[in-house]
Amino acid sequence: MDQAFVQAPEHRPKAVIAEAAGIPVIDLSPLAAGDQAGVEALAAEVGRASREWGFFVVLRHGVPDDTMARALEAQRAFFAMPAERKAAVRRDAVAPLGYYESEHTKNVRDWKEVFDFFPREPPPPAPAAVADGELVFVNKWPQDLPGFREALEEYAKAMEELALKLLELIARSLGLPPDRLHGFFKDDDHQKKTTFVRLNHYPPCPSPDLALGVTRHKDAGALTVLHQDDVGGLDVRRRSDGEWVRVRPVPGSLVVNVGDIVQVWSNDRYQSAEHRASVNSRKERFSLPYFFNPGSGAMIEPLEELVSDDSPPRYRAYNWGAFFRTKRNSNFKKLAVENLQIAHFKKDLDQAHLVE
């Protein structure tokens, strides 16, 4: 196996990993029922899960079974294509949408292949922006895979509806109006959409004790909504003791990760979850994450309603579009420095107090 895939000894997965116990499993059916008391109870559950785990599992989430089935069928059909047909829609550092098989996370190559697309076709970039080194976000759809694009766009639409409902539950749980966070996701001429969908394929690995499908990381966006198949391989670092535990697949469920942006907005009331994808030597594995991100012009900082003299802002403001571009660039090669993280915008409150 290529040494580019080999994790440092301290990050290699153990042969046996315990199944996580106590993961919050939340039934979202009160949303469809319009039960106000039930919605408030849901918000409390979401808040507790966001504080204690940084993620949760949702059932009866409203994504139609046939929509899910068509998306999963399209995913398998794409990765079953010969390498040269997948390479026809290969992405690169300038145009980072499409197929890729050499992604890096934390400067280590992942044991996976992916296909990324924007749910809504982005407008073409201005020539001046391209000349200045702006990323070119253009979806690259395979031309010889009938129904592929339609199935995935239908899935993405259903996921957006769910993500907005989850965003409202997050807002409610923080004591904010349900639509408080909607403005960060508005679709207009002043900012570009950065929400994207990823198809993951993890082939069997000859050395699953040395490599990972995706190494340890936290999601940089607002929310990630993930479908994982029944093979299993999603691991989360348990906050109580720092141990890695396996998230058992639950039929009909979706896994929701709180991202770094929610951590910043909440001024550390909520914490994004560190997670990874393990691989095995016997079975291929598929997962389908929806990364719900703000528009490129959004400035991310602790929400003014959640800061006070007793709880000062813990982060400096940063532009999400610039952050997103930097993160995307780091996927293509091993860097000589640490990947950009929200920790780089963390304020030293003790030092600030001394200065005052």
Side-chain angles (χ1 to χ4, degrees):
M1 188 174 66
D2 192 315
Q3 286 296 305
F5 293 103
V6 176
Q7 296 283 327
E10 64 271 24
H11 299 307
R12 294 173 189 171
K14 297 178 181 178
V16 178
I17 182 169
E19 186 176 293
I23 291 176
V25 179
I26 301 176
D27 183 341
L28 296 182
S29 55
L31 291 176
D35 175 6
Q36 189 61 31
V39 171
E40 292 299 334
L42 278 183
E45 285 189 76
V46 166
R48 185 163 52 251
S50 300
R51 285 192 306 272
E52 296 175 0
W53 285 89
F55 78 103
F56 47 94
V57 175
V58 295
L59 295 170
R60 299 177 183 86
H61 41 68
V63 178
D65 290 343
D66 55 350
T67 297
M68 182 75 73
R70 281 190 287 270
L72 298 177
E73 182 180 354
Q75 178 180 28
R76 287 180 176 269
F78 176 80
F79 288 119
M81 292 197 308
E84 62 272 16
R85 288 175 61 190
K86 290 183 285 190
V89 290
R90 195 174 190 270
R91 77 188 200 196
D92 56 42
V94 175
L97 295 178
Y99 173 73
Y100 202 59
E101 78 290 11
S102 301
E103 188 161 89
H104 289 69
T105 304
K106 297 280 189 185
N107 287 324
V108 181
R109 187 173 169 184
D110 299 329
W111 189 271
K112 70 179 182 194
E113 53 180 348
V114 306
F115 178 88
D116 290 347
F117 72 94
F118 272 17
R120 297 180 186 176
E121 198 71 39
V130 175
D132 287 341
E134 289 284 332
L135 298 181
V136 179
F137 289 107
V138 176
N139 286 331
K140 298 178 181 179
W141 299 107
Q143 299 302 306
D144 48 359
L145 204 58
F148 177 79
R149 175 176 179 174
E150 293 77 9
L152 292 176
E153 287 184 335
E154 177 188 354
Y155 177 78
K157 183 178 179 181
M159 295 302 283
E160 181 180 36
E161 293 175 3
L162 173 59
L164 285 169
K165 294 175 183 176
L166 292 168
L167 191 73
E168 292 183 355
L169 290 174
I170 291 281
R172 286 178 184 270
S173 73
L174 290 167
L176 304 171
D179 63 352
R180 171 63 175 89
L181 304 173
H182 284 199
F184 291 99
F185 298 85
K186 62 185 178 182
D187 190 10
D188 57 32
D189 295 334
H190 301 292
Q191 57 181 352
K192 299 176 182 177
K193 285 284 189 180
T194 62
T195 290
F196 69 100
V197 181
R198 165 164 292 179
L199 283 60
N200 283 321
H201 175 227
Y202 305 98
C205 177
S207 301
D209 56 327
L210 299 179
L212 286 164
V214 185
T215 194
R216 72 205 189 282
H217 68 286
K218 296 184 176 185
D219 291 345
L223 295 173
T224 304
V225 186
L226 171 80
H227 177 274
Q228 64 165 336
D229 66 14
D230 59 0
V231 174
L234 174 61
D235 302 334
V236 63
R237 190 188 291 275
R238 190 164 49 199
R239 197 164 295 156
S240 60
D241 58 9
E243 288 295 314
W244 287 102
V245 290
R246 179 67 43 84
V247 180
R248 178 177 61 86
V250 177
S253 73
L254 294 167
V255 180
V256 180
N257 279 18
V258 171
D260 285 342
I261 286 177
V262 169
Q263 179 171 328
V264 173
W265 279 339
S266 71
N267 207 28
D268 281 349
R269 287 170 173 79
Y270 297 164
Q271 299 284 322
S272 56
E274 188 173 22
H275 56 286
R276 69 186 186 190
S278 291
V279 289
N280 67 81
S281 60
R282 296 170 289 102
K283 292 183 177 181
E284 62 182 347
R285 177 175 177 259
F286 297 88
S287 69
L288 186 54
Y290 174 88
F291 295 97
F292 190 49
N293 298 331
S296 60
M299 294 300 297
I300 307 301
E301 60 186 319
L303 299 172
E304 59 182 355
E305 299 96 324
L306 302 180
V307 299
S308 64
D309 290 341
D310 294 330
S311 181
R314 296 173 178 268
Y315 297 90
R316 304 190 311 276
Y318 62 92
N319 175 263
W320 167 247
F323 191 99
F324 181 73
R325 288 192 300 272
T326 302
K327 295 288 283 188
R328 297 292 287 181
N329 284 337
S330 72
N331 289 341
F332 291 89
K333 58 185 176 181
K334 185 173 182 177
L335 304 176
V337 296
E338 182 187 2
N339 297 121
L340 185 64
Q341 308 290 340
I342 57 169
H344 293 115
F345 299 91
K346 189 96 172 182
K347 290 186 175 183
D348 187 341
L349 296 182
D350 291 336
Q351 188 64 33
H353 175 72
L354 292 174
V355 171
E356 291 174 2

